[in-house]
Amino acid sequence: MALISSDSLERVKQAADIVEVVSAHTDLRRQGVRWVGLCPFHEERTPSFSVDPQEKLYHCFGCGVGGDTIKFVQEKEGLAFAEAVELLADRYGVELEREREDPQAEARRQQRRRLGELLDRTAAFYASYLWDSDEAAKARAYLGERGLAEETLRRFGVGYAPSAWDTVLVRGQRAGFDVDQLRAVGLAQRGRGGGEYDRFRARIMFPIRDRRGRTLGFGGRAMRSDQGAKYVNTAETDFFHKSDMLYGVDLAKSAIAKAGRAVVVEGYTDVLALHQAGVEEAVGVMGTAITTKQVAALSGMVEEVILALDADSAGQEAMLRTQQVAADRRMRLRVAPMPAGEDPAEMVAADGGADRFRELLDSAIELPAFQVGLVLDRTDMSSPAERDRALAEVAPILAAMGEGASRNDLLRLVAERLDLDPALVMGRITAAQPLSGGTPAPDPRGSAPQRPRGELTSRERRERALLAMCIALPEEGSRYLEKLEAGHLSQLGARAAAWLSENLEDPASNLPRDDAELAGLITELVIVATDVPSSSEAMELNYMLLEQGRLEAEIAAAGEAEDFTRRAELSLERAALVEQIARAERVESNR
Ligand SMILES: [Zn+2]
């Protein structure tokens, strides 16, 4: 990975407005020096999410996530560190400098940049060819008949590939690209005779772009009946993996954030038609079912996804895993089954069709309920064997849902329809549970720790108070950090103390990147430090309370080891300490 210089990293951090960045994902209200709102990482009704614009940190007191602006972008956009920095640099107009890196990595980066250029240039060429060439007249007519306006087509960069064998090949080489590069991005392929030719010919071209609008591949629709496959896509390349991509996501992402949901359809023209009809939160899966990777990509952007797909595909077995990935990420998947023989593009092109489509979305039902419904509807209830088979089919669906009220509702429905004891159905669900162990590991870059936090122990509360004061009063803080030992602290607290003793001067600007739990705690401490009433006395008091805890553990250990002399010594120490604490507390309460 290209190393971004620490200088420009610093400039990005300074330039980025964390309140603005976070506000795209949740509404923030000013509260004193901070901004607060509902946590965009876990579901909640009362705001426990806090943004500190001075320190440029966020923290959720509910689920414990926290970090700086870059971390936030990484989590919400599902990006790697460097990508998040690039995105912020772009957005806030910071020129990134890169440190010298090993020549191989530099070469790879250059190559990637070149290939990106090649794809973008080619997309621009296809687009101009669609509008300017005689050859594309039929394609223009076809798109027009589908009700797609020129403005929409231009926005999506739709184009046309000439029918000649080598137009892109020749143009690409003339522009300084070599055949290997053209092959690497899937634009050229080798024929049986060994010669190279254009992969896409006489096709309407849909550029497939990533979230940032960079073209990574193409989908090409045949215009002649003798062309074999109706649709041809870019072959899998180093950076094009069709099953990871969402068509139209670059143009849909802000509408998705605004609507709080994404609408998933199958085809390119469906996406275009929906955007044109005002359903701009639509993206395409370029296949008949959504993949787990696509769900994971959406989970960083939105909590609810509506599948406006062919009814059969939503019932497929593959959807089970998808449901599980969604449940793991606290996402709702709903199904708005398309009427047989109709696709979204056709529907919205008809009079009043956009309204019909919106109604369909509004009445979408939860994916598991939909799947269970499909199974029950095709079960012959008069046959016990059939009912057994149905139970076997629905059990894994219910198991994938995870516990909750909606599963209980569905469980009751299944028991009733199959005329079975609910306890029996529950038993089958439990038996089907191991499936959940098979969930593919979530992408480590895209996942935030979402553990609900239990109540803190009194020791944890004290250690947090003390550590926050160490940040507030760093000079005295460093002395306490030296004094603190493992016996005083929880495991996490010990990690925080060790980290703080190295970074006490500016803990906010250099958060740990590889320990999310620790980063969460540090951001919490930095945020708390700005308003915890800190004083030498309060620090000493908290330290003594932690020391008391440490002594008590030692006394217990000495007792267990039957070392009574040691225990007596420690007890004396404790008595003196308790006395001191009582004095200090009197002083504190009189302040
Ligand atoms: Zn949270």
Side-chain angles (χ1 to χ4, degrees), residues 283-497:
V283 291
V285 290
M286 301 172 284
T288 53
I290 189 168
T291 66
T292 52
K293 287 209 173 139
Q294 287 164 334
V295 169
L298 283 169
S299 76
M301 309 166 71
V302 79
E303 281 85 46
E304 187 185 2
V305 171
I306 302 182
L307 307 171
L309 302 170
D310 186 56
D312 282 343
S313 65
Q316 281 171 8
E317 214 157 295
M319 292 303 286
L320 255 188
R321 264 191 335 143
T322 314
Q323 168 59 27
Q324 222 151 43
V325 173
D328 287 350
R329 291 168 175 251
R330 303 185 184 203
M331 253 169 101
R332 274 175 89 195
L333 281 184
R334 294 199 293 149
V335 182
M338 295 304 299
E342 219 173 351
D343 64 33
E346 286 160 356
M347 186 181 279
V348 297
D351 267 351
D355 289 336
R356 254 181 78 213
F357 186 77
R358 284 206 184 80
E359 277 163 32
L360 212 61
L361 293 181
D362 291 338
S363 59
I365 60 174
E366 306 282 337
L367 175 64
F370 176 81
Q371 292 173 313
V372 167
L374 277 187
V375 174
L376 294 179
D377 285 346
R378 56 166 198 256
T379 301
D380 173 7
M381 297 296 174
S382 66
S383 145
E386 271 276 278
R387 277 156 48 211
D388 273 349
R389 183 197 50 75
L391 180 57
E393 257 186 86
V394 299
I397 299 173
L398 292 167
M401 288 176 79
E403 284 169 40
S406 26
R407 182 168 89 181
N408 284 344
D409 288 351
L410 210 48
L411 185 154
R412 269 198 298 276
L413 174 87
V414 168
E416 196 180 305
R417 294 270 304 267
L418 295 178
D419 195 19
L420 293 168
D421 185 344
L424 177 73
V425 180
M426 190 60 222
R428 293 296 289 267
I429 295 173
T430 316
Q433 214 80 36
L435 231 163
S436 63
T439 310
D443 181 347
R445 297 176 317 174
S447 64
Q450 292 196 327
R451 78 210 138 85
R453 297 203 307 175
E455 284 289 296
L456 295 177
T457 63
S458 58
R459 175 166 78 174
E460 283 169 330
R461 278 200 304 276
R462 279 174 204 139
E463 77 184 13
R464 281 169 196 220
L466 178 57
L467 291 174
M469 289 185 217
C470 289
I471 294 171
L473 303 170
E475 211 171 296
E476 298 184 68
S478 61
R479 284 207 305 278
Y480 280 101
L481 288 172
E482 259 171 55
K483 281 208 286 189
L484 286 170
E485 27 180 295
H488 291 127
L489 303 165
S490 69
Q491 263 194 13
L492 178 58
R495 258 155 50 219

Side-chain angles (χ1 to χ4, degrees), residues 180-360:
D180 284 342
Q181 289 174 320
L182 282 148
R183 247 205 333 250
V185 297
L187 286 168
Q189 60 190 37
R190 184 168 288 166
R192 252 172 269 155
E196 310 282 340
Y197 60 92
D198 287 3
R199 176 175 174 87
F200 299 102
R201 297 180 316 281
R203 284 175 186 272
I204 296 177
M205 299 299 289
F206 299 91
I208 302 167
R209 306 164 176 154
D210 68 4
R211 226 187 274 204
R212 292 164 67 183
R214 297 175 298 198
T215 302
L216 300 191
F218 295 92
R221 187 193 187 282
M223 272 313 288
R224 293 196 315 251
S225 51
D226 62 343
Q227 273 182 291
K230 188 165 157 200
Y231 278 97
V232 168
N233 288 297
T234 297
E236 296 284 300
T237 64
D238 279 350
F239 55 71
F240 181 76
H241 305 286
K242 195 179 73 153
S243 60
D244 299 2
M245 309 263 322
L246 291 160
Y247 178 67
V249 70
D250 54 321
L251 297 172
K253 64 184 178 202
S254 53
I256 288 176
K258 210 149 102 202
R261 71 178 188 197
V263 174
V264 170
V265 294
E266 262 174 47
Y268 304 107
T269 49
D270 291 327
V271 175
L272 265 67
L274 287 174
H275 277 242
Q276 187 172 301
V279 186
E280 290 183 4
E281 67 269 36
V283 291
V285 290
M286 301 172 284
T288 53
I290 189 168
T291 66
T292 52
K293 287 209 173 139
Q294 287 164 334
V295 169
L298 283 169
S299 76
M301 309 166 71
V302 79
E303 281 85 46
E304 187 185 2
V305 171
I306 302 182
L307 307 171
L309 302 170
D310 186 56
D312 282 343
S313 65
Q316 281 171 8
E317 214 157 295
M319 292 303 286
L320 255 188
R321 264 191 335 143
T322 314
Q323 168 59 27
Q324 222 151 43
V325 173
D328 287 350
R329 291 168 175 251
R330 303 185 184 203
M331 253 169 101
R332 274 175 89 195
L333 281 184
R334 294 199 293 149
V335 182
M338 295 304 299
E342 219 173 351
D343 64 33
E346 286 160 356
M347 186 181 279
V348 297
D351 267 351
D355 289 336
R356 254 181 78 213
F357 186 77
R358 284 206 184 80
E359 277 163 32
L360 212 61

Side-chain angles (χ1 to χ4, degrees), residues 39-42 44 48-49 60-65:
C39 176
F41 295 100
H42 85 280
E44 61 176 7
S48 46
F49 188 79
C60 174
F61 291 90
C63 68
V65 299

Side-chain angles (χ1 to χ4, degrees), residues 1-18:
M1 182 103 283
L3 283 180
I4 294 160
S5 78
S6 52
D7 230 34
S8 32
L9 191 59
E10 205 42 52
R11 272 184 290 125
V12 170
K13 285 184 187 173
Q14 285 311 316
D17 180 345
I18 190 167

